[in-house]
Amino acid sequence: MIKAFFSYSTQDAAFVREVASEVGRAFAMIDYRSFHAGGDILSSIDEALKESAAFIFFLSKAALASPWVAHEIREARFQAAMGRIKNVLVIRLDSDIAPEDLPEWLKRTKHITTIAVKPAARKIRTVIDDLVRQGQSPRFVGRAAEIAALQDVYSAPEPGAESQVACVTGLPRIGRRATLTKMARESLDLETLLVIDVEPGDTVQALAAKLSALVDPSETPEDSLQRTREIAALSDGQALTHALVKFQEICQYHQMPVLHDEGGLLDNDGDITSYILDLIGSLSQYPDIVTALLTNRRPSPDHFIARGMRPLGVVHLRPLEDADISRLVGLTAKARQATLSPATVKEITAAVRGYPPSVTFALELIAAYGPDLGIRGRMLSDFGASPLTSYLKQNNFSNLERKILRVMAANSPLPLSVLQETTRTSNDGIDRALIHLIDVSLIVPTYGGWYEVSGPAVHAIRREFGACSKAEYGAVATKLDEFLAQSEDGTDYLALQRTLFRAMDKAGQQATPRAYALLTDRVKLAEHYYHEQEYQRAVDMATDALYADPSIHQARTTLIRARVKLGEFAEAGDHITELKKRGQVRDAFFLQGFLERHKGEHREALNHYQKALDSGRGGMAIHREMADCYLRLGDLPRAKEHISRAEEKQPNNRYVVDLKVQIACKLGDRDTALSLLVRLADIDRVEMVSHRTSRVEYLCGDMEVAYEFAQKAVESSDNVRFEVLANYVLCALRTSRVDEAGTALDRLDRKFNRQRRDIRTGLRARLSIARQDYLTAYAYTEQFVSPGSPIHLLIRRDALRGMLDRTALAPQRRADLKAELKRCEDGLAGREVDFDLDA
C-alpha cells in the first residue's frame, strides 16, 4: 500500500486533516501523525518516514519554526537519498515565504501555493497516483538494443540527424511503454510518459481538447464543457497551435507526451492521419518538445516523403527472449519475497511466452495455489495464449471485485465515489476490493485523477465476468451525473463527461447537459452496438458520425456491416461504392465479399475476397472469411488452407478457433473438435463455448447433450446472440420439446425481427411440422427469400409429405402436391441437409 507522510505544524492541523480527508484514496494511508504522544516520538517519526513513499510538507511560518518539523525534514532527506521516499511535494500555505527559506534539497522539489483544501488534495492525489503507476510498471530487463536505437533517434551522432519524435511499434503488452519510459528517464531527463489515445474519428480539435483537459484542469464541469466547446470551434490551424503549446507545457513538467494509436493514428494502409502529420511537421517550431508515437504497425513513409519530411525513426519491439523473462521472473518474485525453484521459474518463463505483464499474473496464480499445484494442475499450461483470461478464470475474485471489474470495463474512467455508490459498497468493502485490484494491475489511476480498467484487461473481463447490464449502465449514468452536478475543482472532467454520454446511451437514457461526446465516442458506440447485435442502433450511431464527418472510415465500414446484417444489401452496396470513390478499394472489395457471403453467394464472395487480396488487403480476417466460404461450398482442403493462414496471423483469435471446430466437424473428426473446444474455452465467452459444444454434439448426433449445452448457452448469456437462441430452438425441436421451442422462437422473433428472416421462417415451419400443422408449415415455405436452397427444399418436402399423408385433399390438389413433392426430391437428390446457423 502506498503511504504518504504529512509534515506540518500543529497550528495548521485542522487544514491538514481536511486535506487528508479529501485525499481519501483507498490505496493510500495518510500518516499525518502515526505516532502517539508520550512514546518515543522521534523513533516513531523515523519509522513512519521509513515506511512512506511520499513526503508532503505543508509550508508555513509555524512549520519552519517547529523543531519536530525540522527533524522530519532532515529524516525525509535521508530516506529520499536512500530511495525509500520517491516523491516530495511542498504545499506553501503562506505566499510571503520565499523558496530561499527552505533547505536546499526542498528547493528542487515540486511546489504549489494554496490555502484551499481541494487544490491541495488534488495535487497530493496526483503525487500518490504517480507512485501507484510506478509500482505497477514491471521491473525492467533486456531491451538494450531497442533503447540504444531510441537514443539514436533522439540524439543521433551526426549533426542535424536527431529527431524530436520516434515511433515505437510492437504488439500490445510487449513492453513499448516501459522501454520508452526507461529511455526517456535515463537519456532525456523526463520523468514519466503522458499517454494520449488517438481514436477513430478524432480531429485536431479533439486532440487539443484532450490535451487541455489533462494540462489545464477545470474548477467545475461547466468550465470544462465551455473550454471543450471553445476548442471544438477553433480552426484546424488554431487547434494545431493549441495542441503544440500543450505538448510544450507537458515537456516543461518533465513528462513526455505520447500519442497512442487506438484506431485513429494509422489508417488501414498504415498512413498516419493528416493532422498528426501536420503536428509532426510543426515540431521544429517548438524545439523543447520531445514526443513519441506508439503503434501496433510500422507507419508508411510515403506521406512523409510526399510532404518533403524525413520519415519517422521506427523502433520495433519483439517478445523478450527466455533468458530475459527468467531474469524478470526472478526479480519480480524477489520483490514479492517469494522463493521459486529453477523448475518453477522455467515453467513460468515458458508460460508467459515473452510478454512481461504476464509475469505478474503467473506469479499471482503461483502465490494463490502454490508452485506445485500451479504446475501439476496445469494452470500455466496455456497461460501464454491468453494470460489475462487464464488469470481471471483461475483466481478467486470476490463477487464485489467481479462487479467492480464488470462495471469499470464498460465505464471508464470513474471517480471512486461513483464506483462505490454504483456497487452499493461500504467504505471498508470498496477499500479492500480496490486495493487488491490495483495491486494486481487490473485497475489503474488515470492522469486525470480517476480510475479505469487496464486497457488489455477489458475484453478478458467481458468474457469472464459478463457484460455490464442495462440497469448497471443506468446506475452509473445516474450517479456520475449527480457527481458532475456537484463536483468542484476536479481534473480531467472531459473524460468523465464522455463516460457519462456513453453510459446514458447504453442505458437508453436521454443525455443531460453534463454529458459530452467527441466524434470518436459515436464511432465506438456504433461498433459496440454492432458487436452486441443491436444493428439498427449501430446504423443510427454510425450515420450520425458520418453526417458530422463523411471521411471517418471506421464509421462507414461499421455502417456497411450493420446494414448487411439487417439484410439491407442495396444500402450497404451504396456505401461500398462510396468507399471506392474515396480510393479505399481493397476495403471495398473485402466488404463486397462480406455482403455476398451474407447473401449466400459464396463463390461470388470469394471472387471479391481474392480481389481484396490482390489489392494488398492482408490480415487474419480475410483468410478466415475465405475459409468460411470454402467450408460452406464443401471445399474442405481449401477451407483448411485459409484457416491455417489466418491462424498464423492470430493463433488465439476466438473466431479462428471457432471456425476450426466447424471444419473438424465437417470432416467428422470429433476428437479434434473436442480438443479445440478446450482451447476455445480459454479465449471465448462461456455462452459461446457452450453454444459451439452444442453444435458439435448436434452434428455428431447426440441431441440430448446438444440440447443441454444449448440451454446452458442461453441461460449464461447476458445478451443472447441470434445463433445461440436459434440453435436452442432447433435442439428443443429435435428433442421433442415443442412448447419450449415455441416460446424460444417467439423470443427470437421479438429480439431479431429484422435479421436472418429465412432461418426464422424455416424454424417456424419446423415448429408447425412438429405440431403436425402441415398446412401452416407449407404456408411458411411460401415466404422463403431463397426457396431453392437445399434446407428450404427439405422443409417444403417434409411439409408436403405431411399434407399428403394426413390431410384430406381433392384429387387434383393431391396430384399437384405429389408433382411438387417429386420436384423437391429431385432437387435434393437424396441429400439430407440441416440449418446452417453459422453461415
Side-chain angles (χ1 to χ4, degrees):
M1 181 188 295
I2 300 297
K3 293 185 180 181
F5 186 98
F6 283 21
S7 178
Y8 60 95
S9 163
T10 54
Q11 293 184 31
D12 304 317
F15 175 80
V16 173
R17 289 192 179 95
E18 282 191 61
V19 172
S21 176
E22 187 70 27
V23 169
R25 290 298 167 110
F27 53 85
M29 182 180 295
I30 310 301
D31 285 328
Y32 55 92
R33 277 293 183 267
S34 60
F35 45 85
H36 301 288
D40 188 346
I41 296 178
L42 291 180
S43 296
S44 298
I45 291 173
D46 295 351
E47 192 62 32
L49 278 163
K50 186 184 294 185
E51 295 176 359
S52 299
F55 180 69
I56 314 298
F57 176 37
F58 292 85
L59 174 58
S60 67
K61 291 177 182 177
L64 288 176
S66 168
W68 299 114
V69 170
H71 175 81
E72 291 166 356
I73 291 173
R74 287 193 298 272
E75 183 64 20
R77 181 184 183 184
F78 173 74
Q79 297 299 339
M82 295 293 293
R84 295 191 181 104
I85 287 180
K86 296 178 173 60
N87 279 4
V88 177
L89 173 66
V90 176
I91 299 176
R92 189 185 293 110
L93 302 179
D94 188 339
S95 59
D96 292 335
I97 300 176
E100 290 74 21
D101 296 333
L102 287 170
E104 189 64 32
W105 76 280
L106 280 178
K107 294 177 186 177
R108 299 189 298 271
T109 61
K110 299 172 185 173
H111 290 64
I112 65 166
T113 302
T114 183
I115 56 172
V117 168
K118 289 182 181 294
R122 186 181 71 202
K123 190 63 179 180
I124 294 168
R125 286 200 300 265
T126 301
V127 168
I128 294 172
D129 285 346
D130 284 345
L131 289 169
V132 171
R133 280 188 287 270
Q134 292 171 30
Q136 290 179 326
S137 299
R139 280 158 179 78
F140 199 88
V141 298
R143 302 294 190 206
E146 291 90 341
I147 288 174
L150 280 169
Q151 290 168 335
D152 287 344
V153 172
Y154 289 108
S155 55
E158 301 83 9
E162 68 277 356
S163 177
Q164 294 172 253
V165 57
C167 181
V168 183
T169 67
L171 295 174
R173 302 182 7 259
I174 204 73
R176 295 172 301 178
R177 297 189 191 195
T179 301
L180 185 59
T181 299
K182 184 173 178 63
M183 188 282 305
R185 286 176 178 169
E186 295 180 354
S187 304
L188 301 178
D189 195 28
L190 298 171
E191 296 174 1
T192 58
L193 308 184
L194 183 60
V195 180
I196 304 98
D197 290 336
V198 183
E199 302 164 288
D202 270 351
T203 59
V204 66
Q205 288 83 0
L207 176 62
K210 291 179 183 180
L211 288 164
S212 198
L214 292 170
V215 177
D216 307 312
S218 302
E219 291 191 359
T220 67
E222 289 77 11
D223 294 338
S224 171
L225 280 175
Q226 178 63 27
R227 182 182 60 207
T228 301
R229 292 189 175 111
E230 289 172 357
I231 294 173
L234 295 176
S235 68
D236 288 353
Q238 291 170 327
L240 179 63
T241 299
H242 187 95
L244 287 162
V245 168
K246 297 305 154 189
F247 265 53
Q248 192 174 45
E249 291 179 24
I250 291 167
C251 292
Q252 289 169 354
Y253 298 150
H254 296 283
Q255 294 179 302
M256 175 186 277
V258 175
L259 299 179
H260 175 232
D261 187 16
E262 278 286 346
L265 199 151
L266 298 180
D267 65 17
N268 285 354
D269 296 323
D271 292 322
I272 292 182
T273 305
S274 178
Y275 73 88
I276 300 295
L277 276 174
D278 293 338
L279 186 146
I280 294 171
S282 301
L283 287 177
S284 60
Q285 302 170 37
Y286 299 83
D288 295 338
I289 293 177
V290 182
T291 184
L293 311 182
L294 295 181
T295 67
N296 294 351
R297 298 174 294 150
R298 179 181 293 270
S300 168
D302 294 347
H303 283 199
F304 286 89
I305 295 170
R307 290 189 177 207
M309 297 167 58
R310 186 172 61 197
L312 288 175
V314 178
V315 177
H316 182 70
L317 269 63
R318 293 178 173 81
L320 282 174
E321 299 291 336
D322 283 355
D324 287 327
I325 287 292
S326 294
R327 292 189 194 98
L328 182 59
V329 172
L331 289 170
T332 309
K334 183 178 180 181
R336 291 166 172 253
Q337 298 181 334
T339 302
L340 301 179
S341 69
T344 302
V345 172
K346 185 177 180 180
E347 190 77 18
I348 295 173
T349 299
V352 303
R353 300 179 188 177
Y355 287 83
S358 302
V359 171
T360 299
F361 303 121
L363 288 175
E364 281 289 319
L365 291 178
I366 291 294
Y369 297 99
D372 292 338
L373 185 58
I375 294 171
R376 283 205 294 266
R378 302 193 64 77
M379 288 180 181
L380 300 179
S381 59
D382 289 320
F383 194 73
S386 184
L388 279 170
T389 300
S390 300
Y391 174 66
L392 293 173
K393 191 186 298 289
Q394 295 165 5
N395 206 310
N396 293 320
F397 289 100
S398 68
N399 289 334
L400 174 59
E401 289 169 346
R402 289 167 178 258
K403 185 171 184 177
I404 289 172
L405 289 172
R406 187 175 65 250
V407 168
M408 293 202 69
N411 303 278
S412 281
L414 285 177
L416 177 59
S417 60
V418 172
L419 182 62
Q420 181 175 354
E421 290 174 8
T422 301
T423 55
R424 299 179 180 178
T425 313
S426 66
N427 289 340
D428 289 344
I430 197 75
D431 285 1
R432 287 193 298 271
L434 201 58
I435 287 169
H436 178 228
L437 296 176
I438 288 171
D439 284 345
V440 297
S441 300
L442 291 174
I443 300 292
V444 295
T446 72
Y447 285 101
W450 320 119
Y451 296 94
E452 65 183 3
V453 165
S454 176
V458 170
H459 297 297
I461 290 167
R462 170 67 176 81
R463 285 195 297 270
E464 290 308 307
F465 302 153
C468 191
S469 68
K470 191 170 183 178
E472 286 171 331
Y473 280 124
V476 169
T478 299
K479 298 303 179 184
L480 185 52
D481 196 38
E482 291 173 359
F483 176 88
L484 289 171
Q486 300 167 3
S487 184
E488 292 182 359
D489 199 60
T491 51
D492 184 8
Y493 281 126
L494 176 60
L496 297 188
Q497 289 155 345
R498 295 176 63 193
T499 299
L500 177 60
F501 178 86
R502 295 190 297 264
M504 285 184 158
D505 200 81
K506 292 173 184 176
Q509 297 178 8
Q510 187 70 32
T512 68
R514 287 170 288 279
Y516 188 84
L518 295 175
L519 201 48
T520 184
D521 295 306
R522 299 186 185 278
V523 177
K524 288 189 171 185
L525 280 170
E527 283 198 316
H528 166 80
Y529 291 133
Y530 176 84
H531 290 301
E532 293 300 311
Q533 294 192 339
E534 296 183 52
Y535 297 124
Q536 187 55 54
R537 294 189 75 180
V539 166
D540 294 341
M541 196 60 71
T543 301
D544 285 349
L546 286 172
Y547 179 80
D549 185 354
S551 68
I552 304 176
H553 182 72
Q554 197 159 336
R556 195 174 301 278
T557 57
T558 301
L559 178 59
I560 291 168
R561 290 182 294 150
R563 288 206 179 276
V564 166
K565 290 291 189 179
L566 290 171
E568 298 171 355
F569 300 129
E571 294 86 346
D574 290 341
H575 284 284
I576 292 173
T577 300
E578 181 63 25
L579 284 182
K580 291 179 181 178
K581 290 179 182 177
R582 292 177 175 273
Q584 294 153 340
V585 176
R586 61 188 185 184
D587 288 343
F589 283 136
F590 176 80
L591 289 165
Q592 188 67 45
F594 181 83
L595 186 153
E596 298 296 342
R597 183 169 73 81
H598 281 75
K599 288 169 65 176
E601 303 292 341
H602 294 104
R603 292 199 183 280
E604 188 63 25
L606 284 168
N607 290 335
H608 288 287
Y609 287 141
Q610 188 59 52
K611 289 178 182 177
L613 278 174
D614 294 342
S615 300
R617 172 84 187 219
M620 175 278 298
I622 192 165
H623 290 292
R624 186 201 172 279
E625 294 277 308
M626 295 179 79
D628 187 273
C629 288
Y630 282 119
L631 173 62
R632 309 306 159 196
L633 292 169
D635 189 342
L636 298 183
R638 297 295 296 276
K640 288 182 66 178
E641 173 193 340
H642 280 280
I643 202 63
S644 295
R645 293 175 70 179
E647 189 174 28
E648 287 173 4
K649 296 179 180 297
Q650 290 190 27
N652 300 304
N653 181 280
R654 56 193 174 119
Y655 299 111
V656 170
V657 177
D658 185 77
L659 190 57
K660 287 193 72 174
V661 176
Q662 296 178 50
I663 293 171
C665 287
K666 285 289 185 181
L667 290 168
D669 188 352
R670 186 172 186 271
D671 290 341
T672 296
L674 292 176
S675 68
L676 286 167
L677 284 173
V678 174
R679 185 173 158 197
L680 190 65
D682 282 336
I683 55 179
D684 208 350
R685 292 182 293 191
V686 172
E687 66 267 27
M688 297 311 297
V689 177
S690 297
H691 166 71
R692 184 53 56 205
T693 305
S694 172
R695 295 299 298 156
V696 170
E697 297 297 347
Y698 183 98
L699 294 171
C700 291
D702 195 333
M703 295 301 166
E704 277 297 327
V705 175
Y707 166 79
E708 290 173 9
F709 277 102
Q711 186 181 45
K712 180 181 177 182
V714 171
E715 290 175 349
S716 58
S717 296
D718 43 48
N719 183 25
V720 67
R721 302 178 69 83
F722 179 95
E723 59 269 29
V724 171
L725 192 51
N727 178 62
Y728 174 54
V729 173
L730 188 59
C731 289
L733 287 171
R734 294 296 189 198
T735 55
S736 301
R737 294 173 170 88
V738 178
D739 291 341
E740 194 173 321
T743 301
L745 187 49
D746 289 341
R747 181 182 175 189
L748 187 73
D749 281 337
R750 287 194 304 271
K751 185 173 177 62
F752 302 101
N753 65 330
R754 295 179 59 190
Q755 297 170 39
R756 304 178 79 171
R757 174 181 156 188
D758 272 3
I759 286 182
R760 292 186 290 110
T761 303
L763 289 171
R764 279 286 170 200
R766 278 289 179 213
L767 179 63
S768 296
I769 290 170
R771 289 171 171 165
Q772 298 185 359
D773 185 356
Y774 301 106
L775 285 171
T776 300
Y778 182 79
Y780 276 122
T781 67
E782 296 285 307
Q783 300 175 22
F784 288 136
V785 177
S786 304
S789 68
I791 180 62
H792 297 151
L793 287 175
L794 188 69
I795 294 172
R796 195 170 177 90
R797 181 203 69 182
D798 292 348
L800 286 166
R801 284 178 175 176
M803 290 171 66
L804 290 167
D805 290 346
R806 296 173 178 265
T807 307
L809 300 166
Q812 185 58 49
R813 178 61 172 159
R814 182 173 292 276
D816 291 342
L817 293 179
K818 280 186 175 181
E820 186 177 356
L821 176 61
K822 178 68 166 55
R823 289 194 295 273
C824 285
E825 291 173 338
D826 290 345
L828 287 167
R831 291 177 295 170
E832 292 290 326
V833 295
D834 206 339
F835 289 100
D836 190 350
L837 301 178
D838 300 300

